[in-house]
Amino acid sequence: AALLLGLEAAPLAAADNLSFDTLYVPGVLGLKFSPQVQALVGKQASIQGYMAPPLRLEGKFFVLTRQPVSLCPFCNSDKDWPSDIMVVYLAREEFFTPKGRPILVTGTLQMGSWTDPDTGFVSQLRLMNAHYAEQ
């Protein structure tokens, strides 16, 4: 199939894989990114997870989580929000249809504190110019 969810499948194949288990150094107090994450900064990376309910049904970004969640990341307190998240900035704006199924996201990995100038959303880890496909 040349297209999956309207996206070309080719960009998904040429990336290094990450998992939520390998994002951080285990047993370290505080936030310390793993050597694997540090080695992939600026490169194509893929990670499987779940699309959190988006703020809007159309946009260029969403939050990827380790497990399916039913809460909007902007509508509840941070104590209810999972710690294993990654912000995904898509290559183009699209309509979101989260279905509670796993997705594979591929994009250019960026790390370090960054504030989105359009939304004010602060992230520590994100995939830029990304594409996703259901698994």
Side-chain angles (χ1 to χ4, degrees), residues 52-59 61-63 72-75 96 119 121:
L55 182 61
R56 297 182 345 212
L57 292 179
E58 182 179 9
F61 85 97
F62 64 89
V63 175
C72 161
F74 309 102
C75 302
F96 299 120
T119 65
F121 192 78

Side-chain angles (χ1 to χ4, degrees), residues 99-113:
K99 298 178 180 145
R101 287 184 249 172
I103 59 175
L104 181 68
V105 182
T106 300
T108 304
L109 185 66
Q110 287 186 353
M111 135 183 130
S113 184

